[in-house]
Amino acid sequence: MARIVYVNGHYMDEQQATVSVFDRGFLFGDAVYEVTAVIDGKLWDLEDHLHRLRRSCAGLELDCPWSEDELREMHHTLVAKNQLREGVVYLQLSRGNAGDRDFSYADTAVPPTLVMFTQQKALVDTPKAREGLRMITRPDVRWQRRDLKTVSLLAASMALTEARRQGADDALLVENGMITEGTSSNVFIVTQDDTVITRPLGSGILPGTTRRLLLELIAHNNLHLSERVFTPEEARRAKEVFISSTTALIMSVVELDGCVIGSGAPGPVATALRNGLIRWIRHDE
Ligand code: PMP
């Protein structure tokens, strides 16, 4: 079945979908995005994603003329048209086709470009979830507004590419000696005294939707949480390290920079939280 994608009000075969070469998303990375999980054919936590989309738009003075209801409806329509059971819906909103190339967006009064497509992908039952991830640390060379979910992802792409070249699965990013986040995930560690640590929100990291849910799950599981910064060394010495994201859900990191973490297999805290999250998703009506 050919994939049906959405471009500016129209659902069409992916072969027919085009965006102008003058689109500011293409020329300047002047665009925001969201990735929402689909599990058992149902969109998970869409409200949180729509909320963050508004927040990213506000941070960039980017107008989103579609209402929450319309965006919700478009997500559901795209899932139905593509008969998606498990995977993601990708949404990208750019400042649009300004007709020429101009750095300033002060006078850009053109309609934004909205593109949406589905990606089929196993999220729940994956080998990496069972085995855990091997990661390396890389310098965080991204910009200073990582709390906005923009498509300017080159620094993250470079870090991930370097990690893969070194035979690892992904990278954790480090700034001023402290871990910020993963290339596309938030990071947690479990200390030897069973405290779960994660970096506090701020402009240094993306406010992850999965991170938010995890904090609720951590409280629900009576685990002790501390939101503070931590070093790669602290992570390497931790009982457990795990990441959270829409596509990974929760995945253990079992090796960091060649050091085995804990027993070298997904630990009890990450496993309990991942199972708890999946139960939560499956029983959500
Ligand atoms: N940080 C970054 C840099 C990301 O790209 C992502 C994935 N969107 C996350 C964290 C996790 O966010 P979420 O849980 O909303 O997918």
Side-chain angles (χ1 to χ4, degrees):
M1 192 180 88
R3 181 158 47 170
I4 305 295
V5 307
Y6 173 97
V7 184
N8 281 338
H10 303 284
Y11 295 92
M12 60 187 82
D13 187 301
E14 64 178 78
Q15 306 291 337
Q16 261 82 60
T18 55
V19 173
S20 165
V21 295
F22 296 114
D23 194 278
R24 289 189 57 93
F26 176 65
L27 293 178
F28 296 104
D30 187 355
V32 297
Y33 75 109
E34 280 299 328
V35 179
T36 305
V38 174
I39 291 173
D40 298 339
K42 286 194 298 187
L43 284 147
W44 167 244
D45 205 20
L46 178 58
E47 297 312 310
D48 235 14
H49 289 280
L50 295 181
H51 175 77
R52 187 171 59 189
L53 180 69
R54 292 279 166 211
R55 190 183 174 281
S56 300
C57 286
L60 296 183
E61 299 172 74
L62 177 50
D63 187 35
C64 178
W66 290 271
S67 69
E68 305 264 303
D69 277 350
E70 286 169 320
L71 293 172
R72 216 173 278 127
E73 173 65 27
M74 282 142 54
H75 274 82
H76 286 289
T77 302
L78 209 56
V79 170
K81 281 188 185 294
N82 289 285
Q83 296 171 24
L84 185 65
R85 295 298 302 163
E86 191 163 322
V88 298
V89 176
Y90 177 88
L91 173 156
Q92 177 169 325
L93 180 74
S94 85
R95 207 178 301 272
N97 168 11
D100 205 348
R101 185 173 179 274
D102 179 1
F103 272 64
S104 170
Y105 55 77
D107 302 317
T108 308
V110 294
T113 302
L114 181 60
V115 170
M116 291 169 64
F117 55 81
T118 54
Q119 284 182 296
Q120 208 173 328
K121 190 175 167 60
L123 306 181
V124 175
D125 190 15
T126 70
K128 291 291 176 197
R130 286 189 293 273
E131 295 158 12
L133 302 164
R134 293 166 57 230
M135 291 210 173
I136 60 167
T137 51
R138 297 290 300 160
D140 194 340
V141 297
R142 300 174 300 164
W143 73 330
Q144 299 296 313
R145 289 303 308 274
R146 302 165 198 148
D147 56 318
L148 304 176
K149 196 164 171 62
T150 79
V151 301
S152 308
L153 294 170
L154 195 52
S157 296
M158 289 166 76
L160 176 63
T161 304
E162 180 56 27
R164 296 267 165 90
R165 258 188 207 131
Q166 293 190 24
D169 294 302
D170 204 340
L172 298 183
L173 305 174
V174 180
E175 181 182 57
N176 299 329
M178 301 292 169
I179 290 181
T180 51
E181 54 186 339
T183 59
S184 59
S185 60
N186 294 115
V187 188
F188 296 73
I189 63 173
V190 182
T191 60
Q192 294 299 333
D193 66 355
D194 290 320
T195 302
V196 182
I197 315 272
T198 196
R199 190 181 175 100
L201 294 182
S203 56
I205 63 168
L206 187 77
T209 56
T210 321
R211 177 190 184 282
R212 195 186 68 72
L213 295 169
L214 249 182
L215 295 198
E216 280 186 44
L217 267 177
I218 286 167
H220 192 256
N221 282 271
N222 295 320
L223 291 163
H224 189 243
L225 172 84
S226 171
E227 288 183 79
R228 64 160 174 83
V229 292
F230 54 92
T231 62
E233 176 56 19
E234 202 175 357
R236 284 190 290 268
R237 281 190 284 104
K239 264 189 181 169
E240 294 184 42
V241 176
F242 53 93
I243 58 160
S244 73
S245 78
T246 296
T247 47
L249 302 177
I250 296 161
M251 274 197 202
S252 290
V253 179
V254 296
E255 192 185 300
L256 185 59
D257 292 333
C259 294
V260 172
I261 295 166
S263 65
V269 173
T271 303
L273 291 172
R274 182 179 171 90
N275 292 342
L277 182 65
I278 291 169
R279 265 200 310 277
W280 196 354
I281 295 172
R282 290 230 142 115
H283 296 129
D284 178 66
E285 287 311 324

